[in-house]
Amino acid sequence: HADLHFESLVDLCGVDYSTYKNEPWEGKRFAVVSQLVSVKNNQRIRVRVWCQDDDFPVVDSVTEIYNSADWYEREAFDLYGILFNNHPDLRRILTDYGFVGHPFRKDFPISGYVEMRYDEAEKRVIYQPVTIEPREITPRIVREENYGG
């Protein structure tokens, strides 16, 4: 509303609520959270908009109101898979164009699906399935003989 003077969008991000506080979540999975500032009134407000469909998360773009939302919305699309209706150029911004999946979703595997690297023998970029074996790292403890006494 014009009387409130929230003239600046300072942040916009996606959120995956599939688990919350290490417990199952009983509600919509995805949300978009925006931080607005009113310089005139010296106020801030946080606005959260829920995506209605967990399998196909979509919200309306706010780029026509706040042009600073452009790259924030592209980031939320890239990392969470949230689509923004009427965004002028919705495409990946941080991951490779051929990247599969959305890495900030809580169900995305920690090690990813594929590794991309340049193969010197083939003189091209190749994609290989990830073969990272999880391991437990135990910290090494070093004790000094006369420490503290």
Side-chain angles (χ1 to χ4, degrees):
H1 192 276
D3 293 342
L4 300 176
H5 296 280
F6 284 109
E7 62 270 338
S8 185
L9 174 106
V10 293
D11 192 24
L12 181 147
C13 65
V15 181
D16 180 353
Y17 283 98
S18 59
T19 59
Y20 186 69
K21 296 184 179 179
N22 294 323
E23 295 183 14
W25 177 255
E26 298 293 330
K28 302 292 181 194
R29 178 177 177 181
F30 295 103
V32 174
V33 179
S34 302
Q35 311 286 336
L36 305 175
V37 171
S38 170
V39 176
K40 179 179 180 180
N41 296 327
N42 192 25
Q43 292 181 333
R44 291 176 176 259
I45 190 171
R46 178 179 299 135
V47 179
R48 180 172 51 189
V49 177
W50 293 97
C51 301
Q52 294 305 308
D53 186 351
D54 292 347
D55 296 325
F56 192 70
V58 180
V59 296
D60 287 332
S61 174
V62 294
T63 54
E64 288 188 17
I65 302 167
Y66 301 105
N67 60 3
S68 62
D70 184 9
W71 283 19
Y72 292 134
E73 290 180 357
R74 287 180 59 191
E75 180 182 56
F77 162 70
D78 192 4
L79 301 178
Y80 290 96
I82 299 170
L83 297 169
F84 291 86
N85 278 334
N86 301 317
H87 188 282
D89 187 20
L90 194 62
R91 59 190 162 105
R92 291 192 180 269
I93 192 169
L94 296 172
T95 61
D96 183 55
Y97 293 119
F99 189 85
V100 176
H102 304 284
F104 278 17
R105 287 186 173 194
K106 291 182 179 176
D107 57 0
F108 190 82
I110 293 174
S111 60
Y113 297 109
V114 295
E115 173 186 34
M116 178 183 79
R117 66 178 179 81
Y118 182 77
D119 188 296
E120 193 63 46
E122 294 190 34
K123 302 288 187 211
R124 67 180 184 90
V125 174
I126 61 170
Y127 294 85
Q128 293 178 300
V130 173
T131 58
I132 297 173
E133 294 295 325
R135 62 186 175 134
E136 184 177 323
I137 300 174
T138 306
R140 184 174 157 219
I141 299 172
V142 177
R143 291 189 171 40
E144 295 179 15
E145 290 291 323
N146 299 320
Y147 180 77

